[in-house]
Amino acid sequence: MRTRLANRSARLLLAAAAATALAATTTACGPEDNGAEAPAASASTSTDASDDASDGKESGTGGTGSGAEDSGSEAGAGADKGGDKGAGEGGVGQSCGTNDLDLTLTPKSQAGGYYQVAAKAKSGITCYLDVNTPSVSFGSKPEGVASPVGQGGEDPIKLTGSAVAYTGISPKTTEGDAGVEFENVIVSVTDEDPHPAELALPEPAVVEKPIVTNWSTNPGETVPVIV
């Protein structure tokens, strides 16, 4: 009887020891397993976050590049427009003054006789005849002022180098011998020009109701006639 009890007690002790060992083994393995899995999950999460961050960086960089390219394209277009504008708003240049010009008077026989005046810019000068008709007078009295007849005409005329503009002056447009003799004619590009030119006539001319044409680069258009 005692032997059976002793054997039973021994088996119970062995069973208890085995159970205790098993529990200890389970407790020891649990944290290790959990610890191994946790870093793996953490590493995966970190990798995903890194990928997301990388994607975000690439996306941001791409957006910046695109914005820079768009900005550069627009700036270039603006620069081109500004340049055109600069080209399209060029002025005609300085207006000619009478003292900018060399004036030559030549008598002509057409239309009963008239004087052709040729105008050239002086050396080194480029200017424009902005006023279509010159101011012409014989003497200082109103009756000696030549009336424009509207023939010819280019507005404005650029004078530089060998370019020439012409005007025609008829000293007398009336019949008979009436009139006043003059030896000179006064020519200026405008009525207000402070430096008119006084040109000597080849011989004294009888003047009455004189007329003058517009400036033209074609001398054939400057034969003064009353229509």
Side-chain angles (χ1 to χ4, degrees):
M1 184 67 177
R2 288 180 181 175
T3 301
R4 289 180 181 175
L5 289 174
N7 290 339
R8 184 176 180 183
S9 297
R11 284 197 299 271
L12 287 174
L13 289 173
L14 290 174
T20 301
L22 180 61
T25 301
T26 303
T27 302
C29 291
E32 291 177 2
D33 292 342
N34 292 338
E37 292 175 0
S42 176
S44 175
T45 303
S46 176
T47 301
D48 293 342
S50 176
D51 291 342
D52 291 343
S54 176
D55 291 342
K57 182 178 179 181
E58 291 175 0
S59 176
T61 302
T64 302
S66 176
E69 290 175 1
D70 292 343
S71 175
S73 176
E74 291 174 3
D80 290 342
K81 291 178 182 178
D84 293 341
K85 181 177 179 183
E89 296 180 352
V92 296
Q94 74 174 46
S95 297
C96 295
T98 305
N99 59 350
D100 293 324
L101 307 175
D102 287 326
L103 301 175
T104 304
L105 184 144
T106 305
K108 298 290 184 178
S109 60
Q110 291 173 268
Y114 74 100
Y115 301 111
Q116 181 190 82
V117 176
K120 293 180 63 176
K122 292 180 179 179
S123 178
I125 292 178
T126 296
C127 63
Y128 291 78
L129 290 170
D130 294 325
V131 177
N132 195 275
T133 307
S135 175
V136 173
S137 67
F138 294 86
S140 57
K141 294 183 179 180
E143 56 267 27
V145 176
S147 300
V149 291
Q151 292 172 238
E154 300 170 38
D155 188 17
I157 296 175
K158 180 180 179 180
L159 293 180
T160 186
S162 61
V164 182
Y166 302 91
T167 185
I169 303 168
S170 177
K172 183 175 172 65
T173 58
T174 60
E175 299 293 335
D177 297 329
V180 180
E181 279 194 352
F182 289 90
E183 296 181 347
N184 301 282
V185 61
I186 301 170
V187 179
S188 62
V189 293
T190 65
D191 292 336
E192 299 79 17
D193 195 305
H195 306 289
E198 187 170 5
L199 306 178
L201 303 177
E203 58 185 31
V206 176
V207 177
E208 188 173 48
K209 295 186 178 180
I211 58 175
V212 61
T213 70
N214 295 331
W215 292 111
S216 176
T217 55
N218 180 1
E221 295 181 346
T222 63
V223 179
V225 293
I226 296 177
V227 178

